Amino acid sequence: MMTATADLCDAHPDVTVCEPLFRDYGGTTTFHGPIRTLKVFEDNALVRTALEQPGAGRVLVVDGGGSLRCALVGGQLAELAARNGWAGIVVNGCVRDTKELAAQPVGIKALASSPRRSEKGLHAGHADRVVAFAGARFVPGDWLYADDDGIVVADRALTG
């Protein structure tokens, strides 16, 4: 059981709190785990590749540059994430198939929804690099905690 983000902030004043930009789309709103990062732009090929791998309770942080023109995660990828053991996905961009996302037992936070799919092969991307958005730095291996109150990032595990 994860400790609430408000309680984590009280107990650990050094944690980073993301700006409140994100909406909940997944079947669970409370999730946490070590961070894995992707940097992409309007092309979700790397997102699929990452979610095809065992998640082992990690959280995939996808920096889509804040683009609202197309979705980077949809129903098929949410199902893949749940099946492969990912705790959650945070998207600095859009998702789609919101009813399908809500049916999956995985946490998904994003800026908005858009019915438009991404283009494959449109842009190159990067994996496992430090990304920054919403007033936070997301370092691979650091920890992310999310619930209805927001997203907290820490350089270590804060709960057992």
Side-chain angles (χ1 to χ4, degrees):
M1 184 80 179
M2 186 186 98
T3 304
T5 57
D7 294 335
L8 291 174
C9 287
D10 292 349
H12 306 277
D14 60 320
V15 299
T16 300
V17 177
C18 291
E19 296 167 356
L21 306 174
F22 300 92
R23 294 180 53 197
D24 287 304
Y25 292 97
T28 182
T29 58
T30 301
F31 59 95
H32 70 283
I35 294 171
R36 167 114 199 262
T37 65
L38 296 177
K39 175 74 172 167
V40 301
F41 188 72
E42 297 181 1
D43 180 339
N44 73 348
L46 277 179
V47 178
R48 173 174 289 281
T49 299
L51 295 174
E52 288 173 340
Q53 305 304 311
R58 291 179 292 172
V59 176
L60 184 63
V61 175
V62 180
D63 183 359
S67 174
L68 302 178
R69 293 189 293 218
C70 67
L72 296 173
V73 173
Q76 292 177 357
L77 294 186
E79 183 179 343
L80 197 58
R83 185 170 57 240
N84 288 329
W86 290 86
I89 306 168
V90 175
V91 182
N92 183 27
C94 289
V95 296
R96 70 184 206 160
D97 305 322
T98 58
K99 288 187 192 263
E100 292 175 41
L101 300 183
Q104 294 301 321
V106 64
I108 301 172
K109 288 189 179 278
L111 298 177
S113 63
S114 171
R116 187 182 312 271
R117 69 178 177 194
S118 75
E119 295 289 329
K120 310 300 185 269
L122 184 63
H123 299 284
H126 302 283
D128 301 319
R129 293 188 179 176
V130 175
V131 297
F133 56 86
R137 290 181 72 233
F138 301 89
V139 178
D142 281 3
W143 280 72
L144 184 145
Y145 298 85
D147 64 13
D148 293 320
D149 287 335
I151 300 171
V152 171
V153 179
D155 63 0
R156 65 201 179 281
L158 301 178
T159 60

